[in-house]
Amino acid sequence: MILEINPHSDEPIYLQLRKQIIIGIAKGDLNPAEQLPTVRQIADEIGINTMTVSKGYQQLREEGYLLTDRRKGTVVAPLPVVSGKTNEENLTLLLAELYLAEPDEEKLRDKIQTILSSFRKGENQ
């Protein structure tokens, strides 16, 4: 798993980590039951505090993307992921933001289709 963390970003590092793991699962780069590196391994690899990685992992566990077993470590949860958040509300807000940035519906649909297509690649692996 290759993580690209920008320490100079305004976005907290644990949220960058969270987003990249979710996208990795959606694209098929990370598969259900696949074991993830330990908190310490990621922290050492990226050069960040272990508590930062732990916070990202904890949030992903709470949202249903990861499972932790004392013997097996942290693994990707089975699909479909059952999230505690209201996905439709999140999607509505995101689409509203995208629409305000790009009010041309055709261009917006093309962008959405391109992103969805990138996720489907993981289904064939």
Side-chain angles (χ1 to χ4, degrees), residues 51-118:
M51 293 304 293
T52 301
V53 178
S54 182
K55 187 173 182 177
Y57 270 22
Q58 179 62 34
Q59 188 169 6
L60 288 163
R61 279 192 297 274
E62 289 171 4
E63 294 171 345
Y65 294 103
L66 301 180
L67 301 172
T68 298
D69 181 293
R70 289 184 184 166
R71 292 167 285 157
K72 296 179 184 176
T74 301
V75 298
V76 176
L79 298 177
V81 173
V82 179
S83 177
K85 293 184 176 182
T86 307
N87 291 329
E88 191 171 338
E89 289 176 10
N90 290 339
L91 181 59
T92 300
L93 176 60
L94 181 59
L95 287 173
E97 291 172 346
L98 288 171
Y99 181 78
L100 292 173
E102 179 64 68
D104 183 330
E105 275 190 49
E106 190 63 33
K107 287 181 181 178
L108 184 57
R109 283 191 179 130
D110 289 344
K111 286 180 185 179
I112 292 169
Q113 188 58 47
T114 300
I115 293 168
L116 284 174
S117 294
S118 77

Side-chain angles (χ1 to χ4, degrees), residues 3 11-12 14-16 18 30 36 40 43 46 58 60 77 81 85-86 89 101-102 109 112 119-120 125:
L3 297 170
E11 181 176 43
Y14 78 94
L15 289 178
Q16 293 179 50
R18 176 190 169 274
L30 296 170
L36 296 180
R40 183 165 291 165
I46 299 174
Q58 179 62 34
L60 288 163
V81 173
K85 293 184 176 182
T86 307
E89 289 176 10
E102 179 64 68
R109 283 191 179 130
I112 292 169
F119 296 154
R120 292 187 188 123
Q125 293 179 351

